[in-house]
Amino acid sequence: MAAELLRESFQIQGRNFDKAGEISSEIKVILKDLDIDAACLRRVVIVAFEAEMNVVMYADRGTLTLILTDQDICLDVKDEGPGIPDIDLAMKEGYSTASDEMREMGFGFGMGLPNMKKNSDDFCIESAVGKGTSVFARVRLDSHA
Amino acid sequence: MPELKHGFKIDTAKCVGRMHCMRACPTHAIRVKDGKAHLIPELCIDCGSCLGVCPSKAISATTITLAELDRFKFKVAVASPALFTQFGLGDTPAQVGRALLDLGFDAVWEYAVDIELVDRAITDCVKKWPGPFPLISDSCPVIVRLIQVAYPSMVEQIIPIEVPREIAGREVKRRYSQELGLRPEEIAAIYITPCQAKSISILQPAEESKSYLDGAVGISEIYNDVLYRLRKSTAKLKSDTQEGLMDSGELFHWGNPEGEFPNLSREHYLPLIGLTDIIKVFDDIERGRLTNIEFLECHACQGGCNGGNLTIENLYVARSKNLHLKANMPKPPLEFEREVARRYGSEDFSLRGSVKPRSLAKDVVDLRARVMRRKRAEEILKGLPLLNCGLCGAPSCKDHADDVALARSEISDCVFLSKARIDLLRKIYKKGPRASKG
Ligand SMILES: Nc1ncnc2c1ncn2[C@@H]1O[C@H](COP(=O)(O)OP(=O)(O)OP(=O)(O)O)[C@@H](O)[C@H]1O
Ligand code: SF4
Ligand SMILES: [Mg+2]
């Protein structure tokens, strides 16, 4: 059984592009402070950033929880928002419902969810339309992608 | 890890602890305890931000002086293109080259060839690179060190190609040892540098190999001597003997902030200058953005190497000189092309060694202990006023908390927590309005 070492939660404000990316930056600082292996850090930061951005772009509000154990780093992201009607479709590379405005800011390539999956050792996503979405990703400390 | 060397020294006799350097340092590597600045070596990236801001001129670059070169039998100058932007519009690169010869160098290297070679090697490398993108230029040592210290996960994106100055150093030794029958160690390959960062990259390359160059002389060190010779009648100078490629305008483009990579498509290549902006872009890369860019050319100094901290001329004047040189750039002579073609086929440009993240935790403790330390730092931070006044000797309250957790400092160094600290500071900084009144 993995022993939990650290757990921290962060609130994400939906539709607030000013602060977008701050939480994943903070997570990077924490993991760097802890001298986490560079490859592992990178994967976690990518997953955290894409998850954070999806909440910012599509949901009303959300929480990102970072859980560090002696074996892995997990990100648990839950939001209140419109939810995703067809998860298989949303997971496809290039599928996006981003607005023109978001595309102008350099988002909306439909790569976020696929990248999150690619960069984690375990990944699951659940969603209830009209309620919200939850994403759970696990990156092993000894993973070398 | 061998002891880290750095490109400058703090003269404690001159330092009066005014903290300008501590506040200017982008990696928070400086502390001012007991009225004297000192460095945390593993955090320093040799950017030189501290150098220019010191009001007491207590920080100086450690480059070498010309006198130190006497032990060599044959001395070759490899001049940064930035050197040629430092003098008047009418002073040609060839004249500057001649002044270097008069100064005591036995030859001035035709550096343009090496620049062109590396340019090609980079273009080839980018085309074949399987990812991750973007690749990042390694010519500015500050950038390489910034990545090692603050972006460890990006070290594999540093382009694995030697920098032009190293390629030049290697060829200098090869060519002259062959031509003159000297041993390579009797020949000095000396880089004329716009910054102390490059001199440190010669002393201790980030990729842990040994430099081909024997040292660096700062532009500021030779500036007056060169200028004096330019203003004297040039006819009297030793040697118009070194005929060569020095007039070729190809000498210049590496030092340009928008250094051109003619074979990389514009939309996939990005030149970046200035640490502040570069840090923003690196943050984005670390989050997995910008993968559509193939190559980033990064220069830490505002204005690129023409604005390096050992240059003399005002950056904008230097830039205008650079533009002037470019506008009057002659077509490269045939032998330039031939030399590039000959050497490109026969030399290896791949980086010897690899750049690894710098380990910041001095003591090796396990993850659990590191988590405990972090929690302790957070607890300590809660008790600090978050004013970042710097009087504890650390640049911010967060740094002070980290220092205490790392046992680098006492928590009571914070003036809000201890009257003794205020008394001590009063003693150290006894000048000021109070003293002048009495
Ligand atoms: N938290 C969420 N709430 C509601 N819908 C979501 C959420 N996350 C993703 N989606 C839906 O899934 C689609 C695909 O998401 P994905 O992150 O893969 O791409 P994107 O966000 O559109 O573009 P990119 O991530 O490349 O900027 C989104 O366009 C959106 O319709
Ligand atoms: S930009 Fe050029 S001058 Fe400035 S530190 Fe980097 S290499 Fe040196
Ligand atoms: Mg997304």
Side-chain angles (χ1 to χ4, degrees), chain B residues 77-319:
Chain B
V78 176
S80 160
L83 175 70
F84 303 104
T85 66
Q86 299 293 299
F87 305 99
L89 277 185
D91 300 317
T92 67
Q95 286 167 334
V96 175
R98 267 181 232 121
L100 290 177
L101 294 177
D102 196 56
L103 252 169
F105 285 101
D106 299 296
V108 178
W109 188 243
E110 289 145 3
Y111 190 26
V113 177
D114 310 276
I115 293 174
E116 174 68 20
L117 286 168
V118 170
D119 201 341
R120 288 196 192 183
I122 286 178
T123 308
D124 278 358
C125 174
V126 170
K127 280 193 190 129
K128 293 193 195 116
W129 188 250
F133 283 107
L135 281 161
I136 301 167
S137 65
D138 58 354
S139 114
C140 175
V142 174
I143 299 303
V144 175
R145 284 158 178 71
L146 175 70
I147 293 174
Q148 287 184 290
V149 169
Y151 300 91
S153 67
M154 283 161 50
V155 286
E156 60 190 46
Q157 278 164 270
I158 298 173
I159 194 154
I161 297 289
E162 286 285 347
V163 296
R165 54 188 182 274
E166 288 295 329
I167 297 299
R170 182 174 67 188
E171 186 64 6
V172 162
K173 301 261 173 169
R174 198 199 59 78
R175 159 118 50 104
Y176 289 108
S177 59
Q178 210 170 55
E179 271 178 21
L180 305 172
L182 293 173
R183 279 178 290 123
E185 55 284 10
E186 293 174 316
I187 300 163
I190 302 297
Y191 185 67
I192 312 287
T193 183
C195 61
Q196 95 291 349
K198 283 179 178 166
S199 79
I200 202 65
S201 82
I202 293 168
L203 218 58
Q204 190 177 53
E207 67 276 13
E208 290 171 25
S209 53
K210 189 182 173 311
S211 173
Y212 290 114
L213 296 154
D214 296 288
V217 174
I219 289 180
S220 53
E221 162 89 20
I222 56 165
Y223 179 84
N224 284 334
D225 290 330
V226 171
L227 190 65
Y228 168 72
R229 284 165 176 81
L230 287 172
R231 296 294 165 260
K232 258 186 3 187
S233 156
T234 49
K236 283 193 221 88
L237 289 183
K238 159 177 145 192
S239 83
D240 285 292
T241 50
Q242 204 201 13
E243 284 302 329
L245 306 173
M246 263 166 24
D247 283 317
S248 156
E250 290 285 330
L251 272 168
F252 308 108
H253 67 209
W254 193 270
N256 190 331
E258 280 145 51
E260 280 153 33
F261 288 85
N263 303 315
L264 293 177
S265 80
R266 273 280 157 210
E267 56 182 313
H268 297 308
Y269 156 69
L270 209 62
L272 293 176
I273 49 170
L275 262 187
T276 328
D277 286 341
I278 290 171
I279 285 171
K280 278 189 207 144
V281 174
F282 281 7
D283 283 341
D284 272 343
I285 295 174
E286 195 160 54
R287 297 168 185 148
R289 314 297 301 184
L290 270 99
T291 48
N292 58 325
I293 305 286
E294 292 175 341
F295 185 63
L296 289 178
E297 192 198 351
C298 301
H299 293 282
C301 292
Q302 207 50 258
C305 297
N306 292 336
N309 57 12
L310 302 180
T311 59
I312 297 279
E313 189 52 277
N314 164 319
L315 167 61
Y316 293 91
V317 176
R319 196 182 274 170

Side-chain angles (χ1 to χ4, degrees), chain B residues 374-386:
Chain B
R374 186 185 148 75
K375 288 184 174 164
R376 210 175 327 129
E378 275 182 343
E379 274 315 304
I380 295 164
L381 188 60
K382 281 185 194 150
L384 299 177
L386 297 180

Side-chain angles (χ1 to χ4, degrees), chain A residues 27-36 41, chain B residues 149-152 360:
Chain A
I27 285 176
K28 172 195 147 178
V29 171
I30 296 175
L31 299 183
K32 254 198 66 203
D33 251 17
L34 295 175
D35 218 0
I36 298 293
L41 176 145
Chain B
V149 169
Y151 300 91
L360 300 183

Side-chain angles (χ1 to χ4, degrees), chain A residues 50 54 57 112:
Chain A
E50 294 296 351
N54 279 355
M57 295 207 292

Side-chain angles (χ1 to χ4, degrees), chain B residues 209 279 349 352 385 414:
Chain B
S209 53
I279 285 171
F349 299 96
R352 302 160 296 153
C414 171

Side-chain angles (χ1 to χ4, degrees), chain A residues 70-100:
Chain A
D70 52 6
Q71 291 166 14
D72 52 27
I73 299 174
C74 300
L75 294 170
D76 187 10
V77 190
K78 295 195 164 64
D79 72 52
E80 294 165 35
I84 302 175
D86 184 341
I87 287 184
D88 288 342
L89 187 61
M91 289 300 299
K92 285 218 168 76
E93 287 193 8
Y95 175 80
S96 175
T97 60
S99 65
D100 288 349

